[in-house]
Amino acid sequence: MATALQLDIVTPDQLVLSREVEYVGAPGVLGEFGILPGHVPFISALTIGRLYYKVGGKDHYVFVSGGFAEVSDNRVTILAESAEEAEKIDFNRAERALKRAKQRLDAKNAELNFKRATLALYRATERLSLQNRI
Amino acid sequence: MASLKDVRLKINGVSKTRQITKAMYMVASAKLRGAQMRIEHFRPYADKFSDMLRDLGEKTDDAAHPLLAVRSTQSIGIVVCTPDRGLCGGFNANIIALALKFAESKITEGKKVVFYCIGRKGRDAIRSRGYKPALSIINRMGDTSFALAVEVGGKIRDDFLRGILDEVHMFYGKFISMARQRPADMRLLPIAGPEPEQPQNEKAGQVDYVYEPAVADLLTELLPKYIDVQIYRGLLDTSAGENAARMQAMDNATRNCDEMVKALTLLMNKTRQAAITSELIDIVGGVEALKG
C-alpha cells in the first residue's frame, strides 16, 4: 500500500500547493474528514475553514474557502475559491475584515446582505484562528 | 514643394510617434505575458472543475436544478466583455458588432434584451446606441481577477433565478493565437454543461466516487460556480486577446512610421539637393555675368 498522498491545492488564480503528504484533514460541509493513503475515491464539497496536512509528523495549516475536494488514487485535489497557507495569511487584513463584518452585522441595516456579511465574518475568524498555528 | 524646415519637423514628429507606438508594443507584450500566465494558472482549476461536473452529470440524469431550466425565451441577458482601452485594431469593434447584431436580431423577434457590460469600450458603445446597461463594470479588465467573475456571475444568476432573464449570452474576444483573435458568443445560462470532448477522460468517469453530500446537493454547489468559471475564462481570453491585438496594431504602426520616415528622409534629401542646385546655378550664373 502506498504510504504517501499527493496533495494539490488549486485556486482560479494559482496553484497554491503541491507536495507529498502523509495525512490530510479537510473541512467538509458535513464535518471534517481525514484522508490517509489508500482512501476510497471520494468527492466532497468544502466549507470555509482550515485544512491541515502532515509531513514528517508535523502539522501544516492552510486556510480554504468554498470549494471541493477530490480524492482518487492517492491524489487529493482541492479546488478552492481561495486558499492560503497559514504562513502567508495577511492577518492585519483579516483583522480589518472581521471588524468591518461585525460593524455591518451590528448596524442592522435593512439593506444589508446578511449572507455576505456572515460569510465574511466566518472567513475572517477562520483566518485569524490560524494565527497561532504557524 | 514643402520647405526643408517643414520636412525636418515632420520627420521629427513621426519618429516621436514611432517611439510611442514602440513603447506601447512592448507594454502590450509584457501584459500579454501576464495574461497568458493567468490562463496557465487557471487551466488546472478549470479542467478539474469540468471533469468533476461531467462526472456528476453522468450520475444524475434528471438533475432538475433551476440553473439548468430551459424556459421559453422572453428576455435575454447579454454580457459584453471588452477591454477598457482602444488602440488594439478591430478587436473592440468586432466584439461589439457581434453583440449588437445578436441583440438586434433578438429585438426584431420581439424579445427583450438586457446588457451587462464589463469594460469601458463595450459600455460606451452600448450606451451610444441608446441602451441602458443593467450593470457596467469598468477599469477592472487590467487586473482580471476571479472576484470579478464571481461578481458578474452572482448578478446574472440572481436575475436568471428571479425570472428577469431566460437566457444569458456572453460576448468576448477569443484568444486563438498571437495573430488571431475572434469575437465569440458563449451561452452562460441555462447551463449546457461541458461538452463531453476529451476521450482520455473516460477512465476518470469510471471511478466510483463516494459523494459527500449527495450528488444532487453537490451539483447545487457546483453549478453556480461553473458560471463563474466560464465567465472568468471569457475575461482571461479577452484580456489576452486585447493585448495580442494591441501588439499587432502597434507593430504595424511602428512599421508604418519607419516607412514614413524613410519616405520623408528621401524627400528631405531631394529638397536639399534642389536648394543646393539652385544656389549653384545662381553662383555660376553670377560668375558668368562678371566674366561678361
Side-chain angles (χ1 to χ4, degrees):
Chain A
M1 191 158 121
T3 53
L5 286 164
Q6 173 64 34
L7 172 67
D8 293 305
I9 302 180
V10 287
T11 67
D13 297 320
Q14 68 192 117
L15 177 67
V16 178
L17 185 109
S18 171
R19 67 188 292 188
E20 287 223 322
V21 302
E22 291 145 16
Y23 173 85
V24 180
V29 281
L30 302 182
E32 192 181 309
F33 57 84
I35 296 156
L36 281 165
H39 199 286
V40 290
F42 175 65
I43 289 180
S44 170
L46 298 178
T47 175
I48 296 165
R50 66 174 67 165
L51 175 144
Y52 68 100
Y53 59 91
K54 270 191 182 127
V55 177
K58 198 176 171 299
D59 286 348
H60 299 264
Y61 289 82
V62 183
F63 166 83
V64 290
S65 127
F68 304 88
E70 186 202 23
V71 186
S72 76
D73 209 11
N74 284 324
R75 293 184 73 88
V76 182
T77 312
I78 308 286
L79 298 178
E81 216 157 282
S82 59
E84 290 142 35
E85 290 169 88
E87 303 83 46
K88 289 182 188 152
I89 294 176
D90 184 343
F91 291 109
N92 292 328
R93 197 181 137 201
E95 198 88 58
R96 283 199 301 277
L98 181 68
K99 221 175 262 169
R100 207 163 45 230
K102 272 188 178 154
Q103 270 169 10
R104 286 219 182 111
L105 288 170
D106 284 342
K108 295 199 174 62
N109 190 336
E111 299 266 300
L112 179 76
N113 190 334
F114 185 76
K115 206 176 141 200
R116 252 180 79 181
T118 324
L119 286 178
L121 185 74
Y122 274 144
R123 279 197 297 269
T125 322
E126 279 298 334
R127 279 201 174 97
L128 289 173
S129 78
L130 288 177
Q131 204 155 15
N132 48 9
R133 295 286 187 174
I134 296 173
Chain B
M1 203 186 208
S3 83
L4 200 53
K5 199 179 159 208
D6 286 343
V7 181
R8 283 215 173 100
L9 278 176
K10 185 108 195 201
I11 291 177
N12 222 319
V14 174
S15 31
K16 287 268 159 63
T17 308
R18 187 187 175 281
Q19 281 175 5
I20 294 171
T21 57
K22 185 94 193 167
M24 280 185 77
Y25 171 82
M26 293 202 273
V27 170
S29 77
K31 283 192 177 160
L32 177 66
R33 259 198 299 282
Q36 277 180 317
M37 220 164 66
R38 283 209 201 92
I39 293 178
E40 289 299 311
H41 285 152
F42 178 57
R43 195 164 290 143
Y45 185 89
D47 287 351
K48 203 81 208 162
F49 203 94
S50 299
D51 280 355
M52 225 188 251
L53 197 64
R54 201 176 295 124
D55 185 64
L56 283 172
E58 282 163 15
K59 298 272 155 58
T60 47
D61 308 318
D62 49 350
H65 191 272
L67 287 177
L68 299 166
V70 180
R71 298 187 283 241
S72 76
T73 307
Q74 297 302 320
S75 71
I76 299 175
I78 298 179
V79 181
V80 185
C81 174
T82 61
D84 284 312
R85 309 227 231 154
L87 287 180
C88 45
F91 188 69
N92 284 322
N94 288 342
I95 300 172
I96 293 161
L98 189 70
L100 283 174
K101 205 175 115 201
F102 178 80
E104 271 149 21
S105 80
K106 291 296 169 186
I107 287 171
T108 47
E109 281 173 31
K111 310 219 161 97
K112 234 183 83 202
V113 296
V114 185
F115 283 100
Y116 299 79
C117 299
I118 315 170
R120 184 198 306 274
K121 286 285 156 186
R123 184 202 63 174
D124 291 351
I126 299 298
R127 271 199 189 154
S128 72
R129 295 295 179 103
Y131 301 109
K132 264 216 162 77
L135 175 79
S136 55
I137 297 174
I138 58 166
N139 287 341
R140 295 272 298 275
M141 282 304 286
D143 56 335
T144 330
S145 69
F146 195 65
L148 177 60
V150 173
E151 198 178 321
V152 178
K155 173 82 178 143
I156 62 166
R157 233 172 4 245
D158 276 0
D159 288 354
F160 182 79
L161 292 176
R162 275 193 283 151
I164 298 172
L165 305 172
D166 303 308
E167 207 177 309
V168 180
H169 285 255
M170 176 161 171
F171 291 88
Y172 66 104
K174 201 173 172 69
F175 175 77
I176 298 165
S177 71
M178 289 295 293
R180 253 156 65 80
Q181 306 87 32
R182 209 182 46 206
D185 167 9
M186 165 163 79
R187 197 182 79 179
L188 292 175
L189 281 166
I191 295 173
E195 52 277 20
E197 6 156 20
Q198 307 104 325
Q200 74 263 27
N201 283 328
E202 272 169 27
K203 213 180 102 248
Q206 284 163 4
V207 181
D208 246 331
Y209 287 103
V210 174
Y211 295 99
E212 185 178 291
V215 176
D217 296 331
L218 260 180
L219 264 184
T220 318
E221 298 251 355
L222 263 165
L223 286 174
K225 291 218 174 92
Y226 182 65
I227 299 171
D228 298 340
V229 168
Q230 291 293 79
I231 294 176
Y232 192 51
R233 197 186 293 239
L235 290 178
L236 286 178
D237 253 18
T238 308
S239 157
E242 170 198 0
N243 286 305
R246 182 165 300 129
M247 271 175 75
Q248 237 180 335
M250 289 304 118
D251 192 35
N252 280 340
T254 309
R255 227 167 312 143
N256 285 343
C257 282
D258 281 342
E259 265 167 43
M260 253 176 104
V261 169
K262 226 190 232 166
L264 284 170
T265 310
L266 200 66
L267 179 65
M268 183 184 78
N269 288 340
K270 274 188 185 155
T271 318
R272 202 185 59 218
Q273 292 282 0
I276 293 169
T277 312
S278 69
E279 261 174 51
L280 270 179
I281 289 171
D282 270 1
I283 294 167
V284 174
V287 171
E288 289 298 320
L290 280 178
K291 272 185 189 164

